[in-house]
Amino acid sequence: MIVVSTVDELRRARHTLASPLGFIPTMGFLHAGHLGLVRVAREQNPSVAVSIFVNPTQFGPNEDFASYPRDLDRDLHLLAEAGVDLVFTPSVEEIYPPGFSTFVDVGPIAERLEGKSRPGHFRGVATVVARLFNLFQPQRAYFGQKDGQQCVVVKKLTTELGFPIDIVVVPTVREPDGLALSSRNVYLTPVERVAARVLSASLRSARVAFQKGERSGEELRRLIQSQIEREPLAKLDYVSVADAMTLEEVDRIEGPVMVSLAVRIGRARLIDNEILG
Ligand code: PAF
């Protein structure tokens, strides 16, 4: 496995890789969800590349950029075992050289849901993803459904900026009790970890209600909200039942919707979602 940390080294190493290249952008502290993306990429491409970069521009001023969990040695070990060909571990200056001022703004879909709670978050995500797509020039890129809105944002920027890249969305990997895997789960104390089951449990209730014929967006939002409110350690940030493409809230479910929520439990802010219909 080749490990590089500068743009020049990356360009040289990229030329040695067979196409199609499957690319997985990450912020490191890898878990089984990331390794699932690597596995799918491995099955679909002769070469697989991963970036590990905790991207400062997608964190708000009071968010956890400084304390975001990092363990590069462990990550590299896991990626080597998983058969990755190339890993890029740039510094902040390598991605954002002094004077950097070009940003990607995908418009209103970036201002809903996560974007409302985390202003500027998707501008940072879209900018770094576009930068990495340009550097790696992959044929396919892999993202987890757990970050549902991020998948929508990345698909939109890929289409509108004309990147010839297939965006492959891989289902969320969950713990046996339903909790979606996330690097931020390490923030949970044992008691909070038990409480965190409420996210996936509330989504499951919404799915069951939908399967029984419920088509009111408001009813599903109410159902999820009432379940979160019954968990004393959980503080609901938002719950949404939105059109899966535009992310606009829906009154009546007539096509695919993304049911999503963000919840604070202790230090952790957790998100989860499910596509219905
Ligand atoms: O999903 C993530 O880990 C990040 O948002 C990404 C796509 C690597 C961009 O920094």
Side-chain angles (χ1 to χ4, degrees):
M1 183 172 82
I2 309 169
V3 182
V4 296
S5 55
T6 70
V7 166
D8 285 347
E9 288 169 335
L10 173 62
R11 288 220 169 93
R12 278 196 296 273
R14 171 65 184 92
H15 286 305
T16 67
L17 299 180
S19 290
L21 172 69
F23 169 55
I24 302 130
T26 81
M27 298 207 300
F29 209 69
L30 304 177
H31 52 64
H34 298 111
L35 298 177
L37 301 182
V38 171
R39 200 163 38 247
V40 178
R42 193 64 288 167
E43 282 161 16
Q44 297 184 347
N45 307 277
S47 311
V48 175
V50 172
S51 62
I52 298 179
F53 178 61
V54 185
N55 174 34
T57 63
Q58 69 188 75
F59 288 78
N62 299 319
E63 294 185 8
D64 57 346
F65 172 67
S67 60
Y68 192 85
R70 294 160 167 90
D71 190 343
L72 186 58
D73 288 346
R74 181 175 161 277
D75 289 346
L76 293 178
H77 179 75
L78 289 170
L79 294 176
E81 269 190 342
V84 168
D85 301 287
L86 171 64
V87 184
F88 182 42
T89 63
S91 64
V92 172
E93 294 69 34
E94 203 62 32
I95 295 294
Y96 301 114
F100 185 98
S101 64
T102 305
F103 286 85
V104 178
D105 184 343
V106 297
I109 56 161
E111 282 150 31
R112 303 184 178 128
L113 313 175
E114 283 301 282
K116 205 179 215 168
S117 301
R118 307 181 65 190
H121 170 67
F122 287 114
R123 183 178 188 250
V125 170
T127 302
V128 81
V129 168
R131 178 115 172 81
L132 292 167
F133 279 1
N134 266 324
L135 292 173
F136 278 88
Q137 313 242 323
Q139 279 67 44
R140 298 191 183 96
Y142 295 80
F143 293 84
Q145 176 59 40
K146 201 215 116 226
D147 297 304
Q149 185 174 10
Q150 173 168 279
C151 295
V152 177
V153 165
V154 168
K155 282 182 180 169
K156 189 166 169 65
L157 82 87
T158 302
T159 305
E160 294 184 1
L161 295 181
F163 287 111
I165 301 172
D166 280 341
I167 303 302
V168 182
V169 176
V170 177
T172 303
V173 178
R174 296 179 181 281
E175 300 278 8
D177 68 356
L179 178 67
L181 295 195
S182 162
S183 303
R184 288 191 170 100
N185 291 351
V186 290
Y187 295 151
L188 297 167
T189 65
V191 178
E192 291 165 355
R193 169 65 190 81
V194 174
R197 290 193 298 215
V198 74
L199 277 88
S200 57
S202 68
L203 287 175
R204 246 189 334 271
S205 306
R207 180 172 8 104
V208 170
F210 177 80
Q211 283 164 348
K212 287 185 178 157
E214 182 59 75
R215 291 295 180 271
S216 158
E218 194 45 41
E219 253 332 293
L220 293 189
R221 286 188 283 270
R222 235 197 314 267
L223 182 67
I224 292 175
Q225 182 171 350
S226 69
Q227 248 180 281
I228 301 295
E229 283 171 357
R230 281 201 294 275
E231 170 47 66
L233 295 181
K235 191 166 170 303
L236 185 65
D237 182 347
Y238 66 79
V239 55
S240 158
V241 178
D243 180 284
M245 297 281 281
T246 65
L247 302 184
E248 278 179 275
E249 294 300 315
V250 300
D251 293 331
R252 183 128 203 98
I253 303 175
E254 275 157 1
V257 289
M258 184 170 83
V259 182
S260 62
L261 75 166
V263 174
R264 274 187 194 286
I265 300 186
R267 262 186 79 203
R269 183 175 178 283
L270 306 175
I271 58 172
D272 201 350
N273 72 83
E274 172 137 5
I275 303 290
L276 297 180

